[in-house]
Amino acid sequence: MYELTDHTEVINRLLARYGVKFGIYKNNVFKEQLFPFDAIPRIIPKEEFDCLEKGLKQRVDALNLFIKDIYGEKKILKDGIIPEDFIYSSPGYLAECEGIVPPKGIYSHISGIDLVQGKDKTWYILEDNLRVPSGASYPMIARNLCRRAAPAIFRQYHVEDNRNYADILKATMDYSNTGGINVILTPGRYNAAYFEHSYMAEKSGAVLAMNSDLIVKGDSLYFKDYRGRDQKVGAVYRRISDDYLDPMTFKEESLIGVPHLMDVYRKGNVAIINAPGNGVADDKGIYYFVPKMIQYYLGEEPILNNAPTYLPFYEEDRKYVLENLHKLVIKDVAEAGGYGVVFGDRLTKEELERYKEIIRKESRRFIAQEVIDFLDIDIEDEGKVVPRKADLRAFVLSGEETVVWKSGLTRFSRNPDSFVVNSSQGGGFKDTWVLSQ
């Protein structure tokens, strides 16, 4: 597998030519940059992935039941498993979604679950991404280029084929489709994940559309094609956030949403993938309660563990966090992309005291976690093979059944002193090989 390093430079040049980039806005300036690829694959043995697969299905099934419950009967709140004010103070909870049951009752059709593996080989869940998780396109196209560069390697190793992601995605959209075409709704080429939007549309056979291509007429949503004909839309895989989805329901200043889309959705006449309001379940604070959700909704013990986590919202946890802040990781629940993550051992005495005061005043705003010593994986850096920290984003798709894609996005830190692997923080990515035997 290390033979692939001979092709790293060529593969990265091809990725750049195909527009495999990500973009970020910083200080109101859009900057687009390459997502560096490392050709040494991460390898996950079959037995290990079989366990991950069971645990990921279990987790996503419980999360779907939780979202349905929160916007419906709210049994988990009535039974005191999760405090009511913790839910209603979540920035991801949307009162506008109360009482809405999406087609086929599925809320998180595409879940991106972030995991890390400790040096003891135990896998831990770090985050659940249930709103608009991205990243599946990168290992798809990278694998394709690696196959072309060194086909003999893939005859030597028994690696699960990852080219089926688009087929799984199409089946997921088709299952919830209310009658009509599938559409991938993009805000346009200046979006950070625009490459993925266009790539997934091409591979899944869905129509790539901007908001100006979609219109609500009566109780249905339509796509206006290049001939000016209206085609009914049955499923919208939206790649824009809830706040900007429909200016008539959410932010009225949105210029990238579709007016009255939520009216059609409420009536059950279009599936929105993923469902609006899912943010209530991937709030970093709610993450703390997912093991309890699995026990509550499924009557099972969690197969995969959370990282050891403390919730300063609770007095006992807050006391522990304040006493041990110097050796914990602090995460702001409202941040994403690696931002708002602070390692206590890197703070000065004055900074520690300042954070303690903020935590006392805004306890709902943070979670704290024990530092997991990630398993180092090999990357190539300036011609040398060196160890770096890495995570894994697994993709779980919920349609007629819950399916875990036998691949994933492995992101790694290019900084030897950093645990933060996000692309927005300068990280790179590599392919994930799941062995078939």
Side-chain angles (χ1 to χ4, degrees):
M1 62 179 178
Y2 285 84
E3 306 96 289
L4 282 169
T5 58
D6 296 338
H7 306 280
T8 300
E9 187 176 340
V10 172
I11 292 170
N12 272 290
R13 279 205 306 268
L14 288 171
L15 290 171
R17 183 185 300 173
Y18 294 146
V20 184
K21 302 176 182 180
F22 68 93
I24 56 174
Y25 281 97
K26 195 167 185 179
N27 300 321
N28 294 318
V29 175
F30 178 77
K31 182 182 179 183
E32 195 171 47
Q33 60 194 68
L34 295 175
F35 194 5
F37 172 69
D38 182 79
I40 303 171
R42 171 180 227 153
I43 295 180
I44 302 178
K46 181 182 185 303
E47 297 78 11
E48 195 171 319
F49 191 82
D50 286 348
C51 180
L52 284 176
E53 185 176 37
K54 290 176 184 175
L56 289 165
K57 285 182 179 181
Q58 179 194 60
R59 191 174 182 97
V60 169
D61 285 346
L63 284 163
N64 262 303
L65 289 169
F66 167 71
I67 303 170
K68 180 179 181 180
D69 188 22
I70 286 301
Y71 290 115
E73 296 184 63
K74 301 175 178 52
K75 290 182 179 179
I76 201 166
L77 304 184
K78 294 171 184 174
D79 289 340
I81 308 299
I82 302 176
E84 280 192 28
D85 54 350
F86 204 85
I87 293 293
Y88 298 131
S89 62
S90 169
Y93 167 75
L94 298 180
E96 297 87 348
C97 295
E98 279 290 339
I100 300 177
V101 179
K104 302 294 173 67
I106 300 171
Y107 291 79
S108 188
H109 308 79
I110 303 157
S111 306
I113 310 298
D114 293 344
L115 308 98
V116 293
Q117 190 173 27
K119 287 188 173 176
D120 62 355
K121 295 298 183 77
T122 301
W123 285 92
Y124 296 93
I125 306 285
L126 272 192
E127 286 186 10
D128 305 294
N129 299 280
L130 311 180
R131 289 181 244 200
V132 194
S134 62
S137 62
Y138 299 116
M140 285 174 68
I141 192 168
R143 176 80 63 86
N144 185 42
L145 294 175
C146 287
R147 282 181 177 278
R148 285 161 51 184
I153 291 176
F154 292 89
R155 290 192 290 269
Q156 179 182 351
Y157 292 92
H158 300 283
V159 184
E160 292 282 0
D161 194 339
N162 76 347
R163 288 174 288 189
N164 64 342
Y165 183 85
D167 295 331
I168 302 171
L169 176 61
K170 182 180 185 303
T172 300
M173 290 191 285
D174 286 347
Y175 181 70
S176 291
N177 190 300
T178 60
I181 62 171
N182 292 325
V183 163
I184 294 180
L185 174 60
T186 176
R189 74 162 307 276
Y190 290 109
N191 181 264
Y194 180 71
F195 161 76
E196 178 156 282
H197 305 170
S198 56
Y199 189 75
M200 288 302 181
E202 175 190 344
K203 295 298 181 182
S204 68
V207 173
L208 184 67
M210 292 181 63
N211 65 322
S212 56
D213 300 317
L214 301 174
I215 187 170
V216 171
K217 291 184 178 179
D219 292 333
S220 298
L221 179 68
Y222 294 91
F223 169 77
K224 190 174 290 293
D225 68 16
Y226 69 98
R227 293 182 180 177
R229 299 174 303 186
D230 290 341
Q231 296 186 57
K232 191 172 182 296
V233 176
V236 177
Y237 178 13
R238 51 80 175 231
R239 298 303 301 256
I240 63 179
S241 64
D242 292 344
D243 287 348
Y244 297 94
L245 193 57
D246 180 350
M248 310 306 291
T249 300
F250 304 116
K251 287 191 174 183
E252 61 183 22
E253 65 269 28
S254 172
L255 299 177
I256 57 175
V258 180
H260 300 292
L261 173 60
M262 287 296 292
D263 295 337
V264 179
Y265 175 61
R266 283 189 196 96
K267 292 170 182 174
N269 293 338
V270 70
I272 298 179
I273 299 169
N274 283 339
N278 276 11
V280 71
D282 72 7
D283 178 316
K284 289 185 178 69
I286 297 297
Y287 159 94
Y288 176 90
F289 296 100
V290 178
K292 295 183 179 181
M293 292 178 201
I294 292 170
Q295 295 167 333
Y296 182 79
Y297 293 114
L298 303 178
E300 301 170 357
E301 289 302 312
I303 296 169
L304 297 173
N305 296 317
N306 280 6
T309 304
Y310 306 95
L311 207 60
F313 179 83
Y314 290 124
E315 184 178 350
E316 184 179 348
D317 280 16
R318 183 166 64 250
K319 183 175 183 291
Y320 179 86
V321 169
L322 294 174
E323 290 175 354
N324 296 276
L325 192 62
H326 60 284
K327 61 181 182 181
L328 299 173
V329 184
I330 308 302
K331 294 183 178 180
D332 188 324
V333 302
E335 296 282 0
Y339 295 99
V341 177
V342 177
F343 287 80
D345 63 356
R346 298 180 187 178
L347 297 176
T348 64
K349 186 176 180 180
E350 292 75 19
E351 289 171 333
L352 279 169
E353 290 305 316
R354 182 167 59 84
Y355 265 96
K356 286 179 183 179
E357 189 58 32
I358 295 172
I359 290 169
R360 288 188 189 99
K361 291 180 179 177
E362 303 177 60
S363 59
R364 171 63 175 85
R365 180 180 160 189
F366 299 96
I367 62 169
Q369 294 178 324
E370 301 286 355
V371 178
I372 296 173
D373 194 4
F374 295 17
L375 184 71
D376 293 305
I377 64 174
D378 287 343
I379 72 162
E380 184 184 20
D381 185 25
E382 297 183 353
K384 297 179 181 178
V385 175
V386 296
R388 290 291 185 270
K389 303 301 181 187
D391 76 353
L392 171 68
R393 174 163 291 183
F395 292 89
V396 185
L397 287 84
S398 302
E400 188 169 7
E401 58 181 344
T402 304
V403 178
V404 180
W405 183 38
K406 293 184 178 180
S407 184
L409 175 65
T410 291
R411 300 174 296 183
F412 62 87
S413 171
R414 291 192 290 165
N415 180 344
D417 300 317
S418 177
F419 283 70
V420 180
V421 301
N422 303 71
S423 55
S424 56
Q425 303 285 301
F429 82 100
K430 56 172 64 212
D431 194 4
T432 305
W433 287 9
V434 175
L435 300 186
S436 59
Q437 63 180 53

